[in-house]
Amino acid sequence: MASRYHEVYAAWKSDPETFWAEAAGAIDWSKPWDKVFDAEAGVYGRWFAGAECNTCFNALDRNVAGGRGDQLALIHDSAITGTVKKFTYAEMKREVVALASVLKNHGVGKGDRVIVYMPMVPEAVFSMLACARLGAIHSVVFGGFAARELAARIDDATPKLIISASCGLEPGRTVVYKPLLDGAISMARHKVGRCLILQREEQRCDLVEGRDLDFADQVARERAAGANVDCVPVAATDPLYVLYTSGTTGQPKGVVRDNGGHMVALKWSMQNEFGVKPGEVFWAASDVGWVVGHSYIVYAPLLHGCATVLFEGKPVGTPDAGTFWRVIAEHGVVALFTAPTAFRAIKGQDPLGSFVPKYDLTKFRTLFLAGERADPPTLEWAERMLGVPVIDHWWQTETGHPITQNPVGLGMLPVKHGSPGVPMPGFDVRVLDDAGHPVAPGTLGNVVLKLPLPPGCLPTLWNADQRFHDAYLAEFPGSYKTADAGLTDDDGYLFIMARTDDIINVAGHRLSTGGMEEVLAEHPNVAECAVIGIADQVKGQVPCGFVVLNAGTNRDAAEIESEIVALVRDRIGAVAALKTVVVIKRLPKTRSGKILRATMQKIADREPWTMPATIDDPAILDEIAAALAARGIGVEAA
């Protein structure tokens, strides 16, 4: 069908308030708004001022009352334990109500904070929704985060209660949570009086008397007693949650998400952007500790009346590179949303896609990628293997939903490899030079969003309005700074090339590491890659490439490295000055799949660095240091 994108985007641009008021008609409100947008409220204005609502009501109660009580709501698929649990909307509501009753009995009420420090289990989702039901503010911290990082979040959020578990499960290892939790509580200045602990059979833990309570026991009592807890109306502008940005140093940044605008934006995005209908199965292969988990595992699918998949496992190794196809086939998934790094891992282990034909993927319609730059070779591989559209899109923890997208529900636009699509309604995307002036199409610059941000984006940081202004709004007045560098083409497509701190300056030429990574990824033996800029006395910086080879590659590494250098010279030119390529076993990443380029650069430049809190495996950085040292990089000259 012809795409309606251009007319819909134009309708938003000509009258934003009418556009979002119409979208808000899909949400149930206990009190209507006084103003669709109050430009005088908050740091840059607030959406649906004066309205009251409840997010849990819209996610669960409304679906049960509307005839979806017996429909599947949540599918928990653990590839690690080999188990699947399913919950209908009615069953899920019962679990959430019982847990809300437990929280209420322990003094949790409207406006109180609750930290959720849990693995990928259904109880993590129930915990988020139980908080929303009470009008409490949840702050999910990725399970297994270091004690110091958890303590910093405890001190910033000052929770009344913490919900946690005895352990999390990773391929080949059990991550014991309780010592980390106990350490964080003892370290934190803010003292938490009560913890609910989910005991997992794989690794049980001791409970601290007087502080810790057994999660399952507490919930079972309330369920048996027939406890009922009504949804508490909150202001549309009240916080639903605080999510701390990953990899922060010092004081963590707590991204605030409000209730009203968040529901409106997410509900609208499911049909119009992702092309998914109520009753269908949607899978976001992320973690509830990240923003994708909040938006597209928990809230958006349930607000839209879908079934959502909660997956405990990895794209490879649990048990093989066919795991994703098994989940799609077994549960009838129509759309998958994951990070490009997952597909690079699958491609690296199964470059010929031999696992794909083993599964029935006839219901599967669309693959969505976001979170890291999607390199064209990986996109092309996925298109070839799956035979469905592969849609790259772009957004941030701060925005909560896509900034740019190829809107499947409005009718797809042509796919341009390397571009995460066109701006969605609500987002006026500009590319500016460092002085704040617009640049011509095709010119690299700072990607900013003209204020006001749309519903669903952060209104501020937790208890830090000035910090929010200074970090995001001060550098380009009237705009929100994304801290991404990119360019637009003549058709309005955006190309995100790197974080602004990943633009390197080679002899006065501003070059995108992302553009170089695209070329490295074209080499047939390369599974994954990264490019950083390292200090050079003559040129200021020179690029250095790191490549992970496809499984089964047994060619001479030096030969591959020289081929890659020649490829970059051919595609980008001598100006790129890429002369060093290092073959490594694996790239250092955060648990959400982002490559830790800044840390790699510090190692190469012999600068002081600290272990990133979100790193998946710290041992990889030693491997990087050793690989660089073998080339005489990152070590003191003799």
Side-chain angles (χ1 to χ4, degrees):
M1 70 173 188
S3 179
R4 294 190 300 116
Y5 162 72
H6 293 291
E7 66 183 80
V8 171
Y9 189 78
W12 160 72
K13 207 161 191 181
S14 67
D15 191 349
E17 292 195 16
T18 297
F19 181 91
W20 290 118
E22 287 177 1
I27 297 300
D28 284 4
W29 307 84
S30 47
K31 179 175 177 286
W33 50 85
D34 301 323
K35 291 183 176 179
V36 178
F37 182 72
D38 183 352
E40 303 305 313
V43 181
Y44 64 83
R46 300 301 300 270
W47 290 95
F48 307 110
E52 291 184 357
C53 55
N54 184 279
T55 296
C56 182
F57 178 86
N58 278 276
L60 296 181
D61 301 58
R62 183 176 67 157
N63 283 309
V64 173
R68 295 189 184 278
D70 294 331
Q71 183 202 298
L72 210 53
L74 179 68
I75 302 163
H76 178 245
D77 187 309
S78 175
I80 296 178
T81 63
T83 59
V84 173
K85 282 185 186 173
K86 297 181 179 181
F87 299 84
T88 65
Y89 272 97
E91 289 166 342
M92 203 163 164
K93 183 186 169 189
R94 278 196 291 275
E95 294 295 328
V96 170
V97 167
L99 178 53
S101 185
V102 173
L103 297 179
K104 189 177 178 184
N105 291 346
H106 292 290
V108 175
K110 186 174 176 176
D112 289 331
R113 275 79 61 207
V114 174
I115 280 183
V116 179
Y117 181 66
M118 296 191 87
M120 290 289 282
V121 291
E123 290 83 359
V125 179
F126 302 159
S127 297
M128 295 164 74
L129 289 161
C131 290
R133 191 171 196 86
L134 296 171
I137 302 163
H138 63 71
S139 185
V140 181
V141 178
F142 184 91
F145 236 20
R148 187 183 306 280
E149 295 298 321
L150 178 55
R153 287 148 177 76
I154 291 171
D155 281 337
D156 198 63
T158 60
K160 184 163 276 191
L161 182 145
I162 295 177
I163 305 174
S164 189
S166 57
C167 69
L169 305 176
E170 295 282 337
R173 68 187 176 119
T174 299
V175 182
V176 181
Y177 285 9
K178 194 58 173 22
L180 297 170
L181 175 64
D182 291 341
I185 289 172
S186 65
M187 252 183 247
R189 294 184 304 278
H190 172 77
K191 293 306 166 191
V192 179
R194 187 70 72 206
C195 296
L196 284 180
I197 308 294
L198 177 72
Q199 295 279 20
R200 299 191 79 184
E201 292 308 316
E202 291 78 11
Q203 178 85 53
R204 296 178 72 85
C205 65
D206 294 329
L207 302 182
V208 174
E209 195 171 343
R211 187 196 75 191
D212 299 344
L213 297 167
D214 184 285
F215 182 106
D217 177 58
Q218 292 283 309
V219 170
R221 286 187 198 183
E222 295 306 306
R223 201 189 299 113
N228 184 46
V229 178
D230 290 332
C231 294
V232 175
V234 296
T237 52
D238 281 346
L240 170 67
Y241 68 76
V242 176
L243 179 60
Y244 290 94
T245 52
S246 60
T248 54
T249 54
Q251 177 83 352
K253 281 194 299 192
V255 169
V256 173
R257 194 81 64 216
D258 64 16
N259 276 272
H262 177 247
M263 287 194 283
V264 172
L266 291 189
K267 177 77 171 76
W268 191 89
S269 74
M270 283 298 289
Q271 179 76 59
N272 294 288
E273 295 185 35
F274 292 97
V276 177
K277 302 180 186 71
E280 293 187 316
V281 182
F282 184 78
W283 177 24
S286 179
D287 190 284
V288 290
W290 312 128
V291 71
V292 172
H294 283 58
S295 293
Y296 291 103
I297 295 176
V298 181
Y299 289 113
L302 298 176
L303 290 167
H304 196 50
C306 294
T308 183
V309 177
L310 182 74
F311 175 70
E312 185 177 48
K314 299 284 184 185
V316 296
T318 58
D320 53 42
T323 300
F324 273 22
W325 322 137
R326 174 193 67 77
V327 173
I328 290 168
E330 200 170 302
H331 305 305
V333 172
V334 300
L336 167 64
F337 174 174
T338 191
T341 191
F343 266 72
R344 285 193 284 266
I346 294 168
K347 174 174 167 262
Q349 289 298 308
D350 184 23
L352 299 178
S354 56
F355 280 102
V356 178
K358 297 179 181 179
Y359 298 94
D360 178 6
L361 306 182
T362 50
K363 286 189 177 178
F364 185 58
R365 295 197 300 263
T366 326
L367 171 64
F368 295 91
L369 300 176
E372 265 266 301
R373 194 154 183 281
D375 56 289
T378 299
L379 284 174
E380 289 160 9
W381 181 87
E383 285 172 339
R384 212 163 50 244
M385 295 303 156
L386 297 172
V388 300
V390 179
I391 306 298
D392 182 18
H393 63 301
W394 168 66
W395 49 296
Q396 301 181 323
T397 299
E398 289 85 349
T399 67
H401 56 100
I403 302 169
T404 62
Q405 169 76 288
N406 193 323
V408 174
L410 297 178
M412 273 185 60
L413 298 166
V415 170
K416 295 194 181 190
H417 291 156
S419 169
V422 292
M424 289 296 96
F427 293 104
D428 185 347
V429 179
R430 312 277 176 97
V431 182
L432 309 177
D433 63 20
D434 289 346
H437 303 121
V439 300
T443 306
L444 191 66
N446 301 282
V447 180
V448 305
L449 309 175
K450 187 172 180 293
L451 293 175
L453 296 174
C457 292
L458 82 169
T460 189
L461 295 173
W462 179 249
N463 287 337
D465 284 358
Q466 190 60 47
R467 189 178 180 205
F468 169 62
H469 179 272
D470 294 347
Y472 297 100
L473 311 182
E475 189 172 343
F476 300 102
S479 296
Y480 163 93
K481 178 180 78 170
T482 68
D484 278 309
L487 51 92
T488 55
D489 69 7
D490 290 328
D491 298 323
Y493 283 69
L494 182 69
F495 292 76
I496 296 291
M497 303 309 293
R499 296 293 284 172
T500 48
D501 49 11
D502 287 333
I503 296 296
I504 60 175
N505 196 320
V506 181
H509 299 282
R510 280 165 58 84
L511 298 173
S512 153
T513 56
M516 290 187 220
E517 287 173 6
E518 270 187 21
V519 178
L520 267 62
E522 284 181 29
H523 192 284
N525 296 127
V526 171
E528 295 187 271
C529 62
V531 174
I532 62 169
I534 57 178
D536 181 82
Q537 284 186 330
V538 177
K539 296 188 175 181
Q541 284 182 299
V542 291
C544 174
F546 296 84
V547 295
V548 178
L549 302 181
N550 285 321
T553 301
N554 51 18
R555 294 184 58 208
D556 178 52
E559 196 176 308
I560 293 172
E561 289 167 10
S562 63
E563 287 173 3
I564 290 169
V565 169
L567 197 61
V568 172
R569 190 179 181 90
D570 179 55
R571 294 280 196 281
I572 298 176
V575 67
L578 179 79
K579 293 184 177 139
T580 306
V581 176
V582 184
V583 172
I584 53 174
K585 291 179 189 169
R586 49 199 185 146
L587 287 164
K589 296 175 188 170
T590 65
R591 292 188 184 97
S592 61
K594 288 185 167 57
I595 297 167
L596 292 161
R597 295 176 182 82
T599 306
M600 294 165 75
Q601 184 170 337
K602 286 185 170 70
I603 293 170
D605 286 345
R606 299 196 300 274
E607 292 177 5
W609 59 276
T610 54
M611 185 64 69
T614 54
I615 192 167
D616 190 37
D617 185 351
I620 301 177
L621 292 177
D622 292 333
E623 296 170 13
I624 297 295
L628 286 168
R631 300 297 189 87
I633 300 169
V635 292
E636 295 292 343

PDB file of all heavy atoms in Angstrom, residues 273 393-396 399 401-405 420 422-425 427 429 447 449 457 480 482 494:
ATOM      1  N   GLU A 273       3.687   2.617  13.863  1.00  0.00           N
ATOM      2  CA  GLU A 273       5.110   2.474  13.551  1.00  0.00           C
ATOM      3  C   GLU A 273       5.528   1.016  13.375  1.00  0.00           C
ATOM      4  O   GLU A 273       6.223   0.671  12.431  1.00  0.00           O
ATOM      5  CB  GLU A 273       5.954   3.131  14.643  1.00  0.00           C
ATOM      6  CG  GLU A 273       5.753   4.636  14.709  1.00  0.00           C
ATOM      7  CD  GLU A 273       6.676   5.303  15.708  1.00  0.00           C
ATOM      8  OE1 GLU A 273       7.826   4.843  15.847  1.00  0.00           O
ATOM      9  OE2 GLU A 273       6.260   6.274  16.361  1.00  0.00           O
ATOM     10  N   HIS A 393      15.818   1.547  13.164  1.00  0.00           N
ATOM     11  CA  HIS A 393      15.221   2.786  13.687  1.00  0.00           C
ATOM     12  C   HIS A 393      16.067   3.282  14.851  1.00  0.00           C
ATOM     13  O   HIS A 393      16.937   2.575  15.353  1.00  0.00           O
ATOM     14  CB  HIS A 393      13.749   2.595  14.058  1.00  0.00           C
ATOM     15  CG  HIS A 393      13.483   1.615  15.156  1.00  0.00           C
ATOM     16  ND1 HIS A 393      13.851   0.292  15.105  1.00  0.00           N
ATOM     17  CD2 HIS A 393      12.858   1.757  16.350  1.00  0.00           C
ATOM     18  CE1 HIS A 393      13.478  -0.329  16.210  1.00  0.00           C
ATOM     19  NE2 HIS A 393      12.879   0.541  16.984  1.00  0.00           N
ATOM     20  N   TRP A 394      15.808   4.528  15.255  1.00  0.00           N
ATOM     21  CA  TRP A 394      16.728   5.188  16.186  1.00  0.00           C
ATOM     22  C   TRP A 394      15.970   5.933  17.268  1.00  0.00           C
ATOM     23  O   TRP A 394      15.002   6.640  16.970  1.00  0.00           O
ATOM     24  CB  TRP A 394      17.619   6.161  15.409  1.00  0.00           C
ATOM     25  CG  TRP A 394      18.419   7.110  16.252  1.00  0.00           C
ATOM     26  CD1 TRP A 394      19.437   6.790  17.114  1.00  0.00           C
ATOM     27  CD2 TRP A 394      18.292   8.536  16.313  1.00  0.00           C
ATOM     28  NE1 TRP A 394      19.944   7.931  17.703  1.00  0.00           N
ATOM     29  CE2 TRP A 394      19.258   9.009  17.226  1.00  0.00           C
ATOM     30  CE3 TRP A 394      17.447   9.451  15.674  1.00  0.00           C
ATOM     31  CZ2 TRP A 394      19.409  10.370  17.515  1.00  0.00           C
ATOM     32  CZ3 TRP A 394      17.597  10.801  15.963  1.00  0.00           C
ATOM     33  CH2 TRP A 394      18.565  11.244  16.867  1.00  0.00           C
ATOM     34  N   TRP A 395      16.392   5.722  18.506  1.00  0.00           N
ATOM     35  CA  TRP A 395      15.860   6.490  19.632  1.00  0.00           C
ATOM     36  C   TRP A 395      16.802   6.356  20.807  1.00  0.00           C
ATOM     37  O   TRP A 395      17.899   5.801  20.672  1.00  0.00           O
ATOM     38  CB  TRP A 395      14.433   6.087  19.971  1.00  0.00           C
ATOM     39  CG  TRP A 395      14.123   4.628  20.128  1.00  0.00           C
ATOM     40  CD1 TRP A 395      14.200   3.656  19.175  1.00  0.00           C
ATOM     41  CD2 TRP A 395      13.625   3.972  21.302  1.00  0.00           C
ATOM     42  NE1 TRP A 395      13.783   2.456  19.676  1.00  0.00           N
ATOM     43  CE2 TRP A 395      13.422   2.609  20.960  1.00  0.00           C
ATOM     44  CE3 TRP A 395      13.302   4.392  22.591  1.00  0.00           C
ATOM     45  CZ2 TRP A 395      12.939   1.675  21.894  1.00  0.00           C
ATOM     46  CZ3 TRP A 395      12.802   3.466  23.499  1.00  0.00           C
ATOM     47  CH2 TRP A 395      12.638   2.129  23.150  1.00  0.00           C
ATOM     48  N   GLN A 396      16.413   6.875  21.951  1.00  0.00           N
ATOM     49  CA  GLN A 396      17.298   6.927  23.112  1.00  0.00           C
ATOM     50  C   GLN A 396      16.519   6.597  24.385  1.00  0.00           C
ATOM     51  O   GLN A 396      15.292   6.686  24.418  1.00  0.00           O
ATOM     52  CB  GLN A 396      17.896   8.339  23.255  1.00  0.00           C
ATOM     53  CG  GLN A 396      18.692   8.805  22.058  1.00  0.00           C
ATOM     54  CD  GLN A 396      19.269  10.198  22.264  1.00  0.00           C
ATOM     55  OE1 GLN A 396      18.654  11.064  22.864  1.00  0.00           O
ATOM     56  NE2 GLN A 396      20.476  10.416  21.771  1.00  0.00           N
ATOM     57  N   THR A 399      14.221   9.447  25.110  1.00  0.00           N
ATOM     58  CA  THR A 399      12.987   9.695  24.343  1.00  0.00           C
ATOM     59  C   THR A 399      11.919   8.643  24.611  1.00  0.00           C
ATOM     60  O   THR A 399      10.727   8.928  24.474  1.00  0.00           O
ATOM     61  CB  THR A 399      13.252   9.772  22.830  1.00  0.00           C
ATOM     62  OG1 THR A 399      13.663   8.489  22.342  1.00  0.00           O
ATOM     63  CG2 THR A 399      14.305  10.823  22.510  1.00  0.00           C
ATOM     64  N   HIS A 401      10.698   6.254  22.969  1.00  0.00           N
ATOM     65  CA  HIS A 401      10.093   5.662  21.776  1.00  0.00           C
ATOM     66  C   HIS A 401      10.813   6.220  20.556  1.00  0.00           C
ATOM     67  O   HIS A 401      11.600   7.172  20.671  1.00  0.00           O
ATOM     68  CB  HIS A 401       8.579   5.919  21.716  1.00  0.00           C
ATOM     69  CG  HIS A 401       8.175   7.364  21.780  1.00  0.00           C
ATOM     70  ND1 HIS A 401       7.833   8.099  20.672  1.00  0.00           N
ATOM     71  CD2 HIS A 401       8.067   8.215  22.832  1.00  0.00           C
ATOM     72  CE1 HIS A 401       7.515   9.333  21.030  1.00  0.00           C
ATOM     73  NE2 HIS A 401       7.655   9.432  22.338  1.00  0.00           N
ATOM     74  N   PRO A 402      10.612   5.633  19.363  1.00  0.00           N
ATOM     75  CA  PRO A 402      11.451   5.979  18.216  1.00  0.00           C
ATOM     76  C   PRO A 402      11.386   7.443  17.790  1.00  0.00           C
ATOM     77  O   PRO A 402      10.311   8.025  17.660  1.00  0.00           O
ATOM     78  CB  PRO A 402      10.928   5.060  17.101  1.00  0.00           C
ATOM     79  CG  PRO A 402      10.381   3.881  17.836  1.00  0.00           C
ATOM     80  CD  PRO A 402       9.759   4.464  19.082  1.00  0.00           C
ATOM     81  N   ILE A 403      12.573   8.000  17.541  1.00  0.00           N
ATOM     82  CA  ILE A 403      12.700   9.340  16.960  1.00  0.00           C
ATOM     83  C   ILE A 403      12.539   9.230  15.449  1.00  0.00           C
ATOM     84  O   ILE A 403      11.789   9.977  14.832  1.00  0.00           O
ATOM     85  CB  ILE A 403      14.070   9.963  17.304  1.00  0.00           C
ATOM     86  CG1 ILE A 403      14.292  10.039  18.820  1.00  0.00           C
ATOM     87  CG2 ILE A 403      14.205  11.349  16.665  1.00  0.00           C
ATOM     88  CD1 ILE A 403      15.722  10.393  19.219  1.00  0.00           C
ATOM     89  N   THR A 404      13.283   8.294  14.851  1.00  0.00           N
ATOM     90  CA  THR A 404      13.133   8.015  13.419  1.00  0.00           C
ATOM     91  C   THR A 404      12.803   6.540  13.240  1.00  0.00           C
ATOM     92  O   THR A 404      13.183   5.696  14.047  1.00  0.00           O
ATOM     93  CB  THR A 404      14.408   8.356  12.615  1.00  0.00           C
ATOM     94  OG1 THR A 404      15.488   7.533  13.069  1.00  0.00           O
ATOM     95  CG2 THR A 404      14.777   9.822  12.765  1.00  0.00           C
ATOM     96  N   GLN A 405      12.094   6.247  12.150  1.00  0.00           N
ATOM     97  CA  GLN A 405      11.548   4.903  11.961  1.00  0.00           C
ATOM     98  C   GLN A 405      11.130   4.796  10.505  1.00  0.00           C
ATOM     99  O   GLN A 405      10.998   5.810   9.806  1.00  0.00           O
ATOM    100  CB  GLN A 405      10.337   4.758  12.912  1.00  0.00           C
ATOM    101  CG  GLN A 405       9.434   3.588  12.774  1.00  0.00           C
ATOM    102  CD  GLN A 405      10.019   2.309  13.320  1.00  0.00           C
ATOM    103  OE1 GLN A 405      10.923   1.772  12.693  1.00  0.00           O
ATOM    104  NE2 GLN A 405       9.512   1.813  14.439  1.00  0.00           N
ATOM    105  N   PRO A 420      18.356   4.929   9.756  1.00  0.00           N
ATOM    106  CA  PRO A 420      17.273   4.475  10.631  1.00  0.00           C
ATOM    107  C   PRO A 420      15.945   5.160  10.314  1.00  0.00           C
ATOM    108  O   PRO A 420      15.090   5.306  11.187  1.00  0.00           O
ATOM    109  CB  PRO A 420      17.776   4.852  12.022  1.00  0.00           C
ATOM    110  CG  PRO A 420      18.580   6.088  11.796  1.00  0.00           C
ATOM    111  CD  PRO A 420      19.210   5.931  10.424  1.00  0.00           C
ATOM    112  N   VAL A 422      13.007   7.950   8.817  1.00  0.00           N
ATOM    113  CA  VAL A 422      12.601   9.356   8.765  1.00  0.00           C
ATOM    114  C   VAL A 422      11.996   9.748  10.115  1.00  0.00           C
ATOM    115  O   VAL A 422      11.569   8.890  10.890  1.00  0.00           O
ATOM    116  CB  VAL A 422      11.575   9.582   7.635  1.00  0.00           C
ATOM    117  CG1 VAL A 422      12.227   9.383   6.270  1.00  0.00           C
ATOM    118  CG2 VAL A 422      10.374   8.653   7.790  1.00  0.00           C
ATOM    119  N   PRO A 423      11.932  11.056  10.425  1.00  0.00           N
ATOM    120  CA  PRO A 423      11.398  11.476  11.730  1.00  0.00           C
ATOM    121  C   PRO A 423       9.939  11.080  11.906  1.00  0.00           C
ATOM    122  O   PRO A 423       9.132  11.177  10.979  1.00  0.00           O
ATOM    123  CB  PRO A 423      11.546  12.996  11.705  1.00  0.00           C
ATOM    124  CG  PRO A 423      12.603  13.270  10.697  1.00  0.00           C
ATOM    125  CD  PRO A 423      12.452  12.196   9.657  1.00  0.00           C
ATOM    126  N   MET A 424       9.605  10.649  13.107  1.00  0.00           N
ATOM    127  CA  MET A 424       8.227  10.303  13.446  1.00  0.00           C
ATOM    128  C   MET A 424       7.481  11.553  13.950  1.00  0.00           C
ATOM    129  O   MET A 424       8.116  12.513  14.420  1.00  0.00           O
ATOM    130  CB  MET A 424       8.209   9.217  14.519  1.00  0.00           C
ATOM    131  CG  MET A 424       8.657   7.848  14.010  1.00  0.00           C
ATOM    132  SD  MET A 424       7.556   7.159  12.735  1.00  0.00           S
ATOM    133  CE  MET A 424       8.400   7.633  11.222  1.00  0.00           C
ATOM    134  N   PRO A 425       6.148  11.555  13.873  1.00  0.00           N
ATOM    135  CA  PRO A 425       5.389  12.681  14.411  1.00  0.00           C
ATOM    136  C   PRO A 425       5.823  12.988  15.847  1.00  0.00           C
ATOM    137  O   PRO A 425       5.999  12.082  16.654  1.00  0.00           O
ATOM    138  CB  PRO A 425       3.947  12.181  14.359  1.00  0.00           C
ATOM    139  CG  PRO A 425       3.930  11.238  13.206  1.00  0.00           C
ATOM    140  CD  PRO A 425       5.266  10.548  13.244  1.00  0.00           C
ATOM    141  N   PHE A 427       8.677  14.633  16.418  1.00  0.00           N
ATOM    142  CA  PHE A 427      10.117  14.913  16.368  1.00  0.00           C
ATOM    143  C   PHE A 427      10.470  15.750  15.146  1.00  0.00           C
ATOM    144  O   PHE A 427      10.301  15.307  14.005  1.00  0.00           O
ATOM    145  CB  PHE A 427      10.912  13.611  16.350  1.00  0.00           C
ATOM    146  CG  PHE A 427      10.802  12.824  17.631  1.00  0.00           C
ATOM    147  CD1 PHE A 427       9.997  11.698  17.696  1.00  0.00           C
ATOM    148  CD2 PHE A 427      11.502  13.211  18.761  1.00  0.00           C
ATOM    149  CE1 PHE A 427       9.894  10.961  18.871  1.00  0.00           C
ATOM    150  CE2 PHE A 427      11.399  12.492  19.943  1.00  0.00           C
ATOM    151  CZ  PHE A 427      10.598  11.362  20.004  1.00  0.00           C
ATOM    152  N   VAL A 429      13.557  16.913  13.589  1.00  0.00           N
ATOM    153  CA  VAL A 429      14.994  16.600  13.656  1.00  0.00           C
ATOM    154  C   VAL A 429      15.772  17.605  12.822  1.00  0.00           C
ATOM    155  O   VAL A 429      15.440  17.853  11.658  1.00  0.00           O
ATOM    156  CB  VAL A 429      15.245  15.166  13.152  1.00  0.00           C
ATOM    157  CG1 VAL A 429      16.742  14.844  13.189  1.00  0.00           C
ATOM    158  CG2 VAL A 429      14.465  14.153  13.991  1.00  0.00           C
ATOM    159  N   VAL A 447      23.105  16.156  15.619  1.00  0.00           N
ATOM    160  CA  VAL A 447      21.674  15.882  15.472  1.00  0.00           C
ATOM    161  C   VAL A 447      20.955  16.384  16.721  1.00  0.00           C
ATOM    162  O   VAL A 447      21.277  15.991  17.840  1.00  0.00           O
ATOM    163  CB  VAL A 447      21.402  14.383  15.271  1.00  0.00           C
ATOM    164  CG1 VAL A 447      19.912  14.130  15.110  1.00  0.00           C
ATOM    165  CG2 VAL A 447      22.165  13.854  14.065  1.00  0.00           C
ATOM    166  N   LEU A 449      16.912  17.867  18.373  1.00  0.00           N
ATOM    167  CA  LEU A 449      15.463  17.812  18.243  1.00  0.00           C
ATOM    168  C   LEU A 449      14.900  19.156  18.681  1.00  0.00           C
ATOM    169  O   LEU A 449      15.169  19.610  19.804  1.00  0.00           O
ATOM    170  CB  LEU A 449      14.885  16.700  19.122  1.00  0.00           C
ATOM    171  CG  LEU A 449      15.530  15.315  18.976  1.00  0.00           C
ATOM    172  CD1 LEU A 449      14.942  14.353  19.994  1.00  0.00           C
ATOM    173  CD2 LEU A 449      15.353  14.784  17.557  1.00  0.00           C
ATOM    174  N   CYS A 457       8.539  11.531  26.015  1.00  0.00           N
ATOM    175  CA  CYS A 457       9.958  11.828  26.243  1.00  0.00           C
ATOM    176  C   CYS A 457      10.161  12.317  27.683  1.00  0.00           C
ATOM    177  O   CYS A 457       9.218  12.690  28.362  1.00  0.00           O
ATOM    178  CB  CYS A 457      10.444  12.897  25.276  1.00  0.00           C
ATOM    179  SG  CYS A 457      10.488  12.353  23.566  1.00  0.00           S
ATOM    180  N   TYR A 480      16.898  20.086  21.852  1.00  0.00           N
ATOM    181  CA  TYR A 480      17.424  19.017  22.706  1.00  0.00           C
ATOM    182  C   TYR A 480      18.623  18.409  21.991  1.00  0.00           C
ATOM    183  O   TYR A 480      18.536  18.022  20.813  1.00  0.00           O
ATOM    184  CB  TYR A 480      16.320  17.980  22.935  1.00  0.00           C
ATOM    185  CG  TYR A 480      16.790  16.632  23.446  1.00  0.00           C
ATOM    186  CD1 TYR A 480      16.831  16.358  24.811  1.00  0.00           C
ATOM    187  CD2 TYR A 480      17.166  15.620  22.561  1.00  0.00           C
ATOM    188  CE1 TYR A 480      17.253  15.119  25.273  1.00  0.00           C
ATOM    189  CE2 TYR A 480      17.582  14.380  23.016  1.00  0.00           C
ATOM    190  CZ  TYR A 480      17.627  14.141  24.369  1.00  0.00           C
ATOM    191  OH  TYR A 480      18.043  12.913  24.827  1.00  0.00           O
ATOM    192  N   THR A 482      20.986  15.495  21.144  1.00  0.00           N
ATOM    193  CA  THR A 482      20.977  14.033  21.225  1.00  0.00           C
ATOM    194  C   THR A 482      22.366  13.471  21.523  1.00  0.00           C
ATOM    195  O   THR A 482      22.481  12.319  21.936  1.00  0.00           O
ATOM    196  CB  THR A 482      20.504  13.409  19.896  1.00  0.00           C
ATOM    197  OG1 THR A 482      21.481  13.652  18.873  1.00  0.00           O
ATOM    198  CG2 THR A 482      19.152  13.961  19.472  1.00  0.00           C
ATOM    199  N   LEU A 494      17.412  10.195   7.792  1.00  0.00           N
ATOM    200  CA  LEU A 494      18.517  10.508   8.693  1.00  0.00           C
ATOM    201  C   LEU A 494      19.535   9.376   8.658  1.00  0.00           C
ATOM    202  O   LEU A 494      19.163   8.201   8.553  1.00  0.00           O
ATOM    203  CB  LEU A 494      17.988  10.676  10.125  1.00  0.00           C
ATOM    204  CG  LEU A 494      19.013  11.044  11.202  1.00  0.00           C
ATOM    205  CD1 LEU A 494      19.520  12.467  11.006  1.00  0.00           C
ATOM    206  CD2 LEU A 494      18.395  10.905  12.598  1.00  0.00           C
TER     207      LEU A 494
END
